[in-house]
């Protein structure tokens, strides 16, 4: 039995508590967690009476990387370095904001070559989602040879910033980042954008508008998606992976029936392992985006600030 620190939500608030390995959820792998990170979903789960957590008390953190301490599954042995994202972590199963976690072996992936436990959490769910979006668009026909115009929403956030880097690495030369304020223009260019578009330049309330973009990565949803679809070019596709701008989707059928647009849903929580492995192989070839490192004790402030200060990835160290 090992005593350790965990960041636990009781339904009203989340606090740093001391628990033991006997308190952990069921699973074949006991992990000594090295790092986690902060995603939009983590910030939502931190709120009181949120709609993310399925059972309380719950250790938060939807991502983790660490070392296997004990294994009841032949695929993994003591000392293996692994990462895990999504599934039920921090929702129905103890998550990554703890010095130890117990998880099902099917949720774990071997740490990719050329990647450290720290850099794995610089990418985390955000990087996985970005890679899955690009894969979905390429399955829909997107190739560098077309020289397509690709719009990236939420470009200063985790998914958008990593998507820009992935697109550049894959040879796509027209990477247009949506910005909210003029001061973000240089920031997204530093992240890999070749052009920028002010958010208010997307026409609102139109069934169809001028055709501007071949493909798009949309971590925002809501009103952003509604404004984006009428501006897509014929036979284009949008990879929709988030709801930071809202969950309702007012739109018309015209982009779909008159321009043959595809709206592709992208899920990173329950994505099959084959897709995850492909995504992490691609992510392992990237240099990490800028990030800051914090401790478990810093989590309350960092989670509170995430909605307004999310432009730099945050890695949580368990040391």
């Amino acid at each position: 039995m090992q005593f350790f620190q965990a960041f636990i939500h009781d339904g009203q608030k989340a606090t740093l508590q001391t628990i033991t390995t006997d308190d952990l959820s069921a699973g074949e792998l006991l992990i000594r967690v090295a790092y986690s990170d902060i995603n939009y979903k983590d910030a939502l789960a931190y709120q009181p009476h949120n709609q993310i957590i399925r059972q309380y008390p719950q250790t938060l953190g939807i991502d983790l990387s660490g070392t296997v301490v004990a294994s009841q599954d032949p695929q993994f042995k003591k000392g293996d370095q692994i990462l895990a994202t999504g599934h039920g972590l921090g929702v129905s199963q103890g998550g990554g904001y703890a010095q130890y976690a117990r998880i099902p072996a099917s949720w774990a992936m071997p740490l990719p070559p050329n990647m450290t436990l720290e850099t794995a959490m610089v990418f985390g769910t955000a990087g996985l989602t970005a890679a899955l979006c690009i894969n979905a668009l390429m399955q829909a026909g997107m190739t560098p040879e077309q020289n397509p115009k690709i719009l990236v929403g939420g470009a200063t956030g985790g998914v958008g910033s990593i998507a820009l880097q992935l697109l550049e690495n894959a040879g796509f030369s027209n990477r247009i980042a949506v910005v909210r304020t003029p001061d973000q223009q240089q920031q997204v260019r530093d992240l890999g954008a070749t052009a920028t578009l002010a958010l208010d330049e997307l026409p609102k309330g139109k069934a169809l508008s001028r055709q501007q973009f071949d493909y798009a990565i949309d971590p925002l949803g809501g009103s952003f998606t509604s404004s984006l679809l009428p501006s897509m070019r014929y036979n284009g596709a949008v990879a929709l992976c988030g709801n930071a701008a809202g969950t309702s989707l007012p739109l018309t059928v015209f982009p779909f029936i008159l321009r043959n647009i595809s709206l592709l849903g992208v899920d990173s929580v329950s994505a099959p392992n084959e897709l995850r492995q492909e995504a992490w192989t691609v992510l392992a070839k990237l240099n990490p985006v800028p990030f800051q490192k914090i401790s478990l004790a810093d989590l309350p402030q960092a989670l509170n600030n995430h909605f307004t200060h999310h432009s730099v990835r945050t890695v949580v160290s368990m040391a």
Side-chain angles (χ1 to χ4, degrees):
M1 185 172 65
Q2 177 81 33
F3 288 88
F4 62 93
Q5 296 287 292
F7 193 63
I8 298 175
H9 203 308
D10 64 6
Q12 301 295 321
K13 62 179 179 178
T15 56
L16 199 57
Q17 301 179 25
T18 299
I19 61 173
T20 76
T21 48
D22 288 348
D23 298 315
L24 292 173
S25 310
E28 296 84 23
L29 301 182
L30 178 63
I31 309 297
R32 184 172 68 249
V33 181
Y35 298 99
S36 186
D37 58 13
I38 294 181
N39 299 283
Y40 181 72
K41 188 174 179 178
D42 294 307
L44 289 176
Y46 176 63
Q47 306 306 309
H49 311 295
N50 64 80
Q51 297 182 348
I52 302 296
I53 299 174
R54 295 176 190 166
Q55 61 185 64
Y56 295 97
Q58 189 61 258
T59 299
L60 301 184
I62 66 170
D63 296 343
L64 64 82
S65 65
T67 304
V68 175
V69 174
S71 172
Q72 297 176 341
D73 187 284
Q75 294 183 83
F76 297 94
K77 64 183 185 303
K78 183 178 179 180
D80 285 349
Q81 292 187 321
I82 63 96
L83 63 88
T85 65
H87 294 290
L89 287 173
V91 176
S92 59
Q93 177 100 1
Y97 293 166
Q99 293 171 311
Y100 286 84
R102 187 178 284 114
I103 64 173
S106 60
W107 294 3
M109 291 190 57
L111 188 72
N114 306 318
M115 183 174 272
T116 68
L117 293 173
E118 182 180 73
T119 56
M121 291 297 98
V122 176
F123 295 114
T125 282
L128 173 63
T129 305
L132 291 174
C133 284
I134 293 170
N135 180 68
L137 292 175
M138 293 181 74
Q139 292 295 318
M142 183 178 77
T143 66
E145 291 73 24
Q146 297 170 335
N147 196 27
K149 285 191 171 183
I150 307 169
L151 188 73
V152 178
T156 59
V159 174
S161 61
I162 298 170
L164 287 171
Q165 197 176 4
L166 286 166
L167 289 167
E168 182 175 13
N169 226 41
F172 292 97
S173 57
N174 279 316
R175 307 177 297 274
I176 307 160
V178 178
V179 295
R180 291 182 177 275
T181 58
D183 61 290
Q184 292 179 334
Q185 293 182 11
Q186 188 56 51
Q187 180 185 354
V188 296
R189 286 184 180 275
D190 292 341
L191 291 167
T194 56
T196 62
L197 178 82
L199 181 59
D200 59 12
E201 289 184 66
L202 280 175
K204 295 176 176 59
K206 290 188 175 182
L208 290 173
S209 58
R210 180 169 63 90
Q211 300 183 46
Q212 300 184 64
F213 317 111
D214 297 289
Y215 299 97
I217 295 172
D218 178 4
L220 302 176
S223 59
F224 178 78
T225 310
S226 299
S227 298
L228 171 61
L229 285 168
S231 299
M232 298 301 297
R233 287 180 173 172
Y234 191 89
N235 219 30
V238 175
L240 175 60
C241 62
N243 64 349
T247 56
S248 62
L249 197 57
L251 46 79
T252 74
V253 300
F254 293 121
F256 307 105
I257 66 172
L258 296 182
R259 291 188 180 165
N260 209 40
I261 304 303
S262 298
L263 182 60
L264 311 172
V266 175
D267 163 56
S268 62
V269 175
S270 303
N273 279 344
E274 315 86 75
L275 286 180
R276 290 174 182 265
Q277 288 168 355
E278 289 177 23
W280 282 104
T281 299
V282 172
L283 289 166
K285 298 175 183 177
L286 297 183
N287 294 319
V289 294
F291 71 98
Q292 62 179 347
K293 186 157 61 174
I294 66 171
S295 69
L296 275 172
D298 299 322
L299 271 171
Q301 181 177 356
L303 288 164
N304 270 329
N305 292 342
H306 185 74
F307 295 119
T308 53
H309 299 85
H310 61 269
S311 59
V312 177
R313 288 285 294 158
T314 299
V315 172
V316 186
S317 172
M318 304 304 143

